[in-house]
């Protein structure tokens, strides 16, 4: 198996595990009693909203920074190309 397939398979398993954990956390735990031992496996439910929002805002910020970097790089490339003419 090629290394890229191994990494892809590992990421697929990881994302599947995160999806199952988050689904159990947000859908199943509200129906359990607060003193149930399963509740100790999960953080407080407030974080079920806070963490994805934080991750989404962070991801959008990184994408915006990458886009800005690429736009600046392209403008420098065009400027240098125009100077050569």
């Amino acid at each position: 198996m090629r290394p890229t397939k191994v990494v892809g398979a590992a990421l697929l398993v990881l994302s599947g595990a995160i999806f199952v954990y988050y689904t159990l956390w947000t859908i199943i735990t509200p129906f359990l009693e607060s003193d149930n031992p399963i509740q100790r496996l999960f953080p407080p439910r407030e974080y079920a909203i806070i963490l994805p929002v934080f991750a989404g805002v962070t991801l959008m910020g990184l994408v915006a920074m990458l886009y800005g970097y690429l736009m600046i790089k392209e403008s420098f490339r065009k400027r240098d190309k125009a100077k050569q003419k």
Side-chain angles (χ1 to χ4, degrees):
M1 204 182 240
R2 291 189 297 193
T4 55
K5 286 189 177 187
V6 172
V7 171
L11 288 174
L12 183 63
V13 168
L14 178 66
S15 64
I18 290 171
F19 175 75
V20 168
Y21 181 82
Y22 184 77
T23 302
L24 290 174
W25 181 22
T26 57
I27 295 176
I28 303 299
T29 59
F31 298 108
L32 298 175
E33 305 257 345
S34 61
D35 60 346
N36 193 319
I38 294 175
Q39 289 282 15
R40 287 184 282 175
L41 299 173
F42 301 97
R45 276 183 289 230
E46 298 86 38
Y47 292 116
I49 300 299
I50 294 170
L51 292 176
V53 168
F54 177 75
V57 168
T58 302
L59 181 64
M60 295 294 276
L62 290 173
V63 168
M65 287 183 354
L66 176 64
Y67 182 72
Y69 170 74
L70 292 175
M71 294 296 291
I72 291 170
K73 187 176 173 182
E74 181 68 19
S75 69
F76 282 143
R77 189 181 67 80
K78 285 182 181 178
R79 186 187 67 185
D80 291 344
K81 191 174 182 181
K83 282 184 180 179
Q84 288 178 354
K85 287 185 178 183

